[in-house]
Structures are given as structure tokens and as C-alpha cells.
Amino acid sequence: MKYRTLGTDPAHRREVSVLALGAMLFGSVTDEKTSFAVLDRYAEAGGNFIDTSDNYAFWVDGSQGGQSEELLGRWRRSRGVGDEIVIATKLGARPLAPGTGYIDNAEGLSAKAIREAAERSRERLGVERTDLLYAHIEDRTVPLRETVEGFAGLVAEGTVGLLGVSNHAIWKVERARALAAAAGLPGYEVLQYQHSHLRPRFDVPGDLFPDGSLGHAGPELLGYLRAEPALTLVAYSPLLAGAYVREDKPLPPDYDHPGTPRRLAVLREVAREAGATVNQVVLAWQIGGALPIVPLAGASSVAQLEENLAAVDLELTPDQRVRLDAAH
């Protein structure tokens, strides 16, 4: 396994594996036995960066979520796992009542919601401190300063280590970080957005973000990473839920544009040259690129995980990287 550093403060920064494991469907769609097997193999391979959220997976059974965190807590206790495993979770998008959704009934990012949600997550995970805590979605009903101070308060009391943000407009991320810096408070250091080799259109609203594709890591966000080298992007859905390789998984509508076939052709060409799968090339392209990107990939079986783990040691040539970058 290979590792990279998250954060800049020596008191909170962590060395994490360059491939993160997504636990979104653990404890719901993926049963406990399979989930434990995947987690065990990931840890055995040196993986130490697991991602979840307090609302995973509310849409499966009409609940408020929490199944993933609860399963991770059971796995930690049964295996005697300590702080050698970095667990990241998110808050803000948990439905306030069963049978509702986060778009119109989310817990939000008020100081009260942040404190209460963070405490519940720690209980489910069975930890005294959350290694990395994200603001999951925007909350436009709460002053940004209140959110910034709410997260910083958890760091000050020692119940949270690093702070992250997901699915926010980049100007809002920068404003939040500026507010934190001006007040001498810890701010967001990890960004979590959707990012893959294929490039989406940004004028096609999706189901998750009906008012625009705030979830995608577009040119603005990637430019922000170049300007702020202390930040790290954790890239969710790098494999597009299997759409690169599965005929029964069509690409989402926002990838329906003339550039997609050309980038797919180069991906497949490089995969043939490298003796690797297309999925492995996508992950290796992210892991070994110039920007600090950690792909976050889920796995519903140990076999899927093994394929993803092999990408860590896949070395693309400079020529292959140039061709992958340039295709459009």
C-alpha cells in the first residue's frame, strides 16, 4: 500500500492509504458477512481510510440512515480496531424523519445540528474522536459563520480531528476557509466531490443536485487544488458505479457529450497496453497524478476490492498519462 498525508496541523494530520474504501452500502445492500470480509481484506492489504456518512443508506429502506456507521462500529469492536484505521464520516444530509429526504428535510449545518449529529455518529462508530468529519451538503438556511464555528468547536474539544467539505460551491468553500482563518479556527482541509476520468457536462442537473452539478469536481475545483496545495480531494464515484465496464450500467446523462467516446477510447487503449482493466487505469490515473487526489471506491465483494487494490501498484507511463489527460 502507498500513503499520503491529510492535513497540515501536526496534532491532527493523518497518513492515509492512497485508495479509500467507501462503506456507503455496508449493512444495507451489502450484508454484514460480505462487508466484514471486504473490510478485513482492505485492512490486511494496508488500507486504512474508510468513508461513510450518518445518512447511509436511508434510501434503501426509507429510514434515516446510520446502517453503515453501525456496521463499522460492530466491525471495529469485533476486530479490536483502534486509531490505526482512519474513519471519515459526514453530517448535514441525514433526513430528519423516516420516509423523507435530505433535499427538503435535512438535519442541516446549524451549530446544534452539527454537535448532535457528530455525537450520534461517534456512538454508532464506537469512537471517542472522529478522524475526519465532513459537511455533507450545503445548508443555505444557516449563516456560514455558525457552521464554521460549529465544526471548529468539535476540533477544539478533541472530538474531531480533521474537517472536510463535500458538494458545496467552491466560492462557499473558500469563504468558509477564509472565515476560519480570520478567526484563528481550524477550517476545511479535505474536499470530497465526484471525480473520474470522464468529464461531465455541468449544465445537466442531476437527481442529487437538482439546481446544478455541485457534486462534480470541475475545472474550478481542480484549479482551486492547484492554488491551495495543502488541500486534498477525495474523489467519490471514480468508477461511475460500474458504468465503465458493465453494459447494464449506462453512463449518467451528464456524460452524454462528444468528448466521452474519445476519452473512453484512450482509456481502453491504455488498459490494453498496461494489461490492466479500465477501472484500474482510472484509479491509477487519479492516484499517480499531479494533483492530490484520493479515489474513494466502494466494493460489494472481495473480488471487486482486489481489482481496485491492484491499481495502487499500476504505474502508468508518462506517455500514457499525457494521452489520458489530453483526450477530449
Side-chain angles (χ1 to χ4, degrees):
M1 183 56 69
K2 300 173 184 176
Y3 302 88
R4 69 163 65 244
T5 303
L6 296 184
T8 56
D9 184 345
H12 300 297
R13 66 188 179 201
R14 296 298 304 269
E15 294 293 313
V16 300
S17 46
V18 296
L19 177 67
L21 176 63
M24 181 171 69
L25 299 179
F26 288 178
S28 56
V29 174
T30 305
D31 63 57
E32 185 154 320
K33 180 180 179 181
T34 303
S35 299
F36 276 33
V38 171
L39 288 161
D40 289 344
R41 175 61 187 126
Y42 178 69
E44 179 185 50
N48 74 336
F49 191 18
I50 301 171
D51 182 271
T52 186
S53 171
D54 68 350
N55 73 340
Y56 293 162
F58 76 88
W59 57 91
V60 172
D61 59 4
S63 67
Q64 292 173 272
Q67 302 96 314
S68 175
E69 288 183 332
E70 290 167 356
L71 181 135
L72 289 173
R74 293 192 296 273
W75 176 73
R76 291 185 69 260
R77 289 188 293 271
S78 70
R79 303 305 194 255
V81 170
D83 62 6
E84 70 275 14
I85 298 292
V86 176
I87 296 183
T89 193
K90 314 175 197 70
L91 57 79
R94 181 179 170 92
L96 287 173
T100 63
Y102 69 86
I103 292 178
D104 56 354
N105 196 35
E107 64 192 350
L109 297 174
S110 68
K112 180 175 183 291
I114 290 169
R115 177 164 295 279
E116 292 177 353
E119 181 177 354
R120 289 192 298 265
S121 286
R122 292 196 305 275
E123 290 174 355
R124 285 188 288 266
L125 291 166
V127 298
E128 295 183 0
R129 185 177 86 157
T130 303
D131 298 306
L132 168 58
L133 184 64
Y134 292 96
H136 200 166
I137 59 171
E138 290 188 359
D139 183 352
R140 298 170 186 174
T141 70
V142 172
L144 193 54
R145 183 179 297 277
E146 179 179 343
T147 298
V148 168
E149 292 175 351
F151 276 103
L154 299 180
V155 176
E157 68 186 25
T159 57
V160 170
L162 293 165
L163 298 176
V165 61
S166 179
N167 305 319
H168 284 52
I170 302 307
W171 70 264
K172 187 164 284 189
V173 174
E174 173 58 18
R175 182 169 294 179
R177 295 181 70 240
L179 285 170
L185 300 173
Y188 302 136
E189 294 188 87
V190 185
L191 314 180
Q192 187 174 136
Y193 291 77
Q194 183 174 347
H195 177 265
S196 188
H197 183 255
L198 291 184
R199 295 169 176 165
R201 292 170 53 183
F202 289 88
D203 59 343
V204 181
D207 293 336
L208 295 181
F209 307 101
D211 59 347
S213 297
L214 291 181
H216 285 300
E220 184 180 17
L221 188 149
L222 298 178
Y224 190 45
L225 281 180
R226 293 185 184 93
E228 299 287 343
L231 297 176
T232 301
L233 172 64
V234 174
Y236 71 78
S237 297
L239 305 180
L240 303 180
Y244 280 110
V245 295
R246 289 177 54 179
E247 292 184 1
D248 62 325
K249 288 275 190 177
L251 288 169
D254 43 353
Y255 292 93
D256 184 13
H257 60 82
T260 291
R262 290 192 288 270
R263 283 181 81 81
L264 277 175
V266 173
L267 266 178
R268 290 165 180 159
E269 181 181 86
V270 170
R272 286 192 299 270
E273 293 172 1
T277 67
V278 168
N279 283 346
Q280 288 168 343
V281 172
V282 172
L283 296 175
W285 173 76
Q286 291 178 317
I287 290 169
L291 293 178
I293 296 175
V294 176
L296 166 59
S300 59
S301 69
V302 173
Q304 282 186 353
L305 175 66
E306 294 287 5
E307 179 184 359
N308 296 345
L309 287 170
V312 172
D313 295 319
L314 175 59
E315 296 288 344
L316 301 175
T317 68
D319 173 69
Q320 288 169 338
R321 286 196 168 277
V322 168
R323 284 150 54 203
L324 288 167
D325 291 341
H328 59 80

